[in-house]
Amino acid sequence: MRAGFAGIRGVMAVMPLSNVNTDAIIPSAWLRTVTADLSKGLFGGHRYEADGRERPGFVLNQMPFREAKILLADENFGCGSSREAAVWALAQFGIRCVLAPSFADIFYENAFRNGLLAARIEPETYAALAAAVARHRRDPIFAIDLPAGTITGPDGVAHRFAVPAARAEALIRGDDEIDLTLRHAVEIEAYHGAASRTRAWLYAGIPGPKESP
């Protein structure tokens, strides 16, 4: 079980690009060792020049966005390969939530499995939030209320986002995949108990649910 959360309050950065793929999120050059600091590699192709110097124009190289906890992205975020390290890099940087009109399916799954909130928003909401960040660039603090499914900006306006109820509940509780399975332990044990009686041939030589080998 990991630490759960019901809300997030922090700086929101805007990534105004569609079809940002996982190689752009964490370039393969940052995956050559198991000890790499993935937070430094996040959006490495955008953040750094070829000689390693930061590009001052990139949003995450600017204050206050260096401390962003929320990322506002455009359509089809996380497309490309099934690189789970893309989610790890976002999390290590400090990003707890990505808001976008749509996500690539595998990235979406990986996000929730690693405790990252991937929340879908309408294109009109994307435009409104991006405009709010521009208006409050010096202090773009936004608050996410996961149970309510809302994000509220510095101007006090609340916008809706969509997250499947089961996924929201798992994030709030801090459940990982194992925790979700264990919540059905009674039903699993009952199924195997019944199956061992009605289809005994499947269980020949296999200890029952409460037997020791």
Side-chain angles (χ1 to χ4, degrees):
M1 181 172 285
R2 54 179 170 250
F5 64 87
I8 305 165
R9 179 177 172 82
V11 171
M12 182 162 71
V14 182
M15 189 76 175
L17 298 172
S18 301
N19 304 310
V20 174
N21 64 36
T22 52
D23 188 59
I25 297 171
I26 183 66
S28 58
W30 292 85
L31 303 177
R32 293 172 183 168
T33 70
V34 296
T35 58
D37 185 347
L38 299 183
S39 67
K40 290 184 177 179
L42 180 65
F43 297 118
H46 295 276
R47 284 170 72 188
Y48 305 110
E49 302 288 356
D51 61 4
R53 289 181 297 114
E54 287 188 351
R55 291 175 174 164
F58 185 66
V59 61
L60 296 185
N61 292 334
Q62 304 168 2
M63 289 298 293
F65 305 108
R66 287 182 181 273
E67 300 171 356
K69 292 184 179 180
I70 305 166
L71 181 68
L72 178 64
D74 212 331
E75 295 276 359
N76 199 30
F77 187 80
C79 58
S81 71
S82 58
R83 188 173 297 178
E84 192 171 8
V87 174
W88 301 343
L90 288 161
Q92 287 185 23
F93 184 86
I95 304 287
R96 300 294 310 278
C97 171
V98 180
L99 297 158
S102 61
F103 296 91
D105 290 343
I106 296 178
F107 175 89
Y108 190 74
E109 293 293 328
N110 285 338
F112 286 102
R113 286 175 180 168
N114 288 275
L116 177 73
L117 173 57
R120 292 190 174 100
I121 54 175
E122 295 296 329
E124 298 80 14
T125 302
Y126 169 85
L129 290 173
V133 172
R135 288 195 303 272
H136 300 274
R137 186 175 177 82
R138 292 186 178 181
D139 193 28
I141 303 296
F142 289 73
I144 286 179
D145 185 330
L146 182 51
T150 60
I151 176 168
T152 304
D155 50 13
V157 177
H159 301 272
R160 302 288 304 177
F161 61 78
V163 179
R167 294 192 182 278
E169 290 165 6
L171 285 173
I172 292 167
R173 291 191 302 257
D175 287 351
D176 58 21
E177 297 294 308
I178 295 174
D179 296 316
L180 291 173
T181 301
L182 290 177
R183 287 185 178 277
H184 299 281
V186 173
E187 296 98 315
I188 293 169
E189 185 174 303
Y191 171 84
H192 283 292
S196 66
R197 293 189 297 273
T198 59
R199 295 190 293 277
W201 57 274
L202 284 173
Y203 292 83
I206 301 175
K210 293 186 178 180
E211 299 173 12
S212 57

